[in-house]
Amino acid sequence: MPYVRHWLRNSVLLFAVALVLGLLAAHTSLIQPHDLSLDRTIQTNLRTGWLNEVMKGVSYLASPTAGVIVLVVWTGWLLFLRRRPTQAVATFLVVAIGWNSTQVAKAIVARHRPPTKFSLDPQIGSNSFPSGHTAFTVAAAVAAYFLFRESRHRRTVAVCGVLAVLLVAFSRLYIGAHYPTDTLGAVLVAGSAILFVTGVWHAWVLPNLDRLPLLDRFGLAEERAEAQAAQGGHGTAVPGPGRGGRHRRRVGR
């Protein structure tokens, strides 16, 4: 997981921007008419029988049920099969916190869903801003990029992640579950939460992973030795014993 300077300030500012956007959209007339107009344009001009089913399927892949299954399988694969406990913990935190951070914003903004008469899924619960489906996809895409950012596949993973976010966000507008600003707010909220996670990871979680005896059973020591050897060969910076990895040392030349 990368180390981001000023992570706390940036995460708070980004979350504040998301809340302002949500409150303006939910409780003023500055944004709501434009949101509804764009929703209706998409639904009126693009809906067809086969595409309805496709978009509902795409939306389901990022639903709470599917999200939990994806997260459990993904982290379980990293932990039990790949024996990468550090990666498993990091992936779990990025996805779980980036995704569930939307519940805080939903409670604060308290925006109603779009009119159910235009929805293909009128039984949707909870508040509208921000989109939890979109936030899950953002968090999963970022977590995947973190795993591949040092490999030759990082650009492919990044492009696929962006396309996945756009597809899920569009599906939420298409089926009438969200407004456009709900999906934009999801990107901002999930992004702010992930920034926060990167800071906490280096400040507290990573230096204390070896205090969890359970992780040693899954190869924590071996994983760290491999990571240090790889970093040493490339002369990259790794976290030192200081607070939050701020005191960093060079390994190799």
Side-chain angles (χ1 to χ4, degrees):
M1 192 181 299
Y3 177 77
V4 180
R5 294 185 62 188
H6 309 302
W7 57 271
L8 181 58
R9 180 191 67 187
N10 292 339
S11 64
V12 170
L13 287 175
L14 196 57
F15 189 73
V17 169
L19 288 184
V20 170
L21 175 65
L23 292 170
L24 288 174
H27 304 292
T28 74
S29 59
L30 293 176
I31 297 175
Q32 179 79 0
H34 306 289
D35 262 354
L36 187 57
S37 175
L38 182 54
D39 265 359
R40 293 301 298 135
T41 298
I42 293 173
Q43 295 155 9
T44 301
N45 297 332
L46 299 180
R47 277 184 179 174
T48 59
W50 67 270
L51 192 55
N52 291 354
E53 298 305 317
V54 170
M55 289 296 104
K56 285 193 288 186
V58 169
S59 188
Y60 179 76
L61 291 176
S63 67
T65 300
V68 170
I69 293 173
V70 168
L71 184 55
V72 170
V73 171
W74 191 0
T75 55
W77 175 73
L78 289 170
L79 186 62
F80 294 104
L81 298 181
R82 292 284 296 166
R83 296 186 67 80
R84 292 291 186 267
T86 303
Q87 292 182 356
V89 173
T91 298
F92 179 85
L93 291 177
V94 168
V95 177
I97 296 177
W99 179 19
N100 288 285
S101 61
T102 57
Q103 298 304 314
V104 178
K106 283 178 181 288
I108 294 173
V109 174
R111 188 184 196 184
H112 296 301
R113 294 276 181 172
T116 56
K117 64 180 180 179
F118 303 130
S119 178
L120 298 179
D121 188 8
Q123 301 304 316
I124 294 172
S126 78
N127 293 323
S128 189
F129 183 98
S131 165
H133 288 63
T134 307
F136 168 77
T137 312
V138 170
V142 172
Y145 179 77
F146 285 171
L147 289 176
F148 287 93
R149 69 191 183 94
E150 300 295 340
S151 78
R152 60 189 176 89
H153 302 295
R154 62 184 180 276
R155 291 184 180 177
T156 301
V157 172
V159 171
C160 289
V162 171
L163 292 177
V165 171
L166 292 175
L167 180 60
V168 170
F170 176 78
S171 75
R172 303 305 285 163
L173 306 183
Y174 182 95
I175 69 175
H178 283 288
Y179 296 104
T181 48
D182 297 340
T183 59
L184 175 58
V187 175
L188 298 176
V189 170
S192 70
I194 293 169
L195 277 176
F196 183 80
V197 169
T198 63
V200 173
W201 173 260
H202 287 283
W204 185 80
V205 178
L206 186 59
N208 291 286
L209 276 182
D210 53 2
R211 296 185 181 183
L212 300 175
L214 180 63
L215 294 183
D216 283 334
R217 301 179 183 180
F218 296 100
L220 178 62
E222 292 83 356
E223 182 187 27
R224 284 189 163 179
E226 291 177 12
Q228 290 176 356
Q231 289 172 336
H234 292 87
T236 55
V238 297
R243 296 170 54 193
R246 292 179 183 177
H247 305 292
R248 305 169 78 80
R249 56 189 176 89
R250 280 282 169 186
V251 181
R253 292 184 180 274

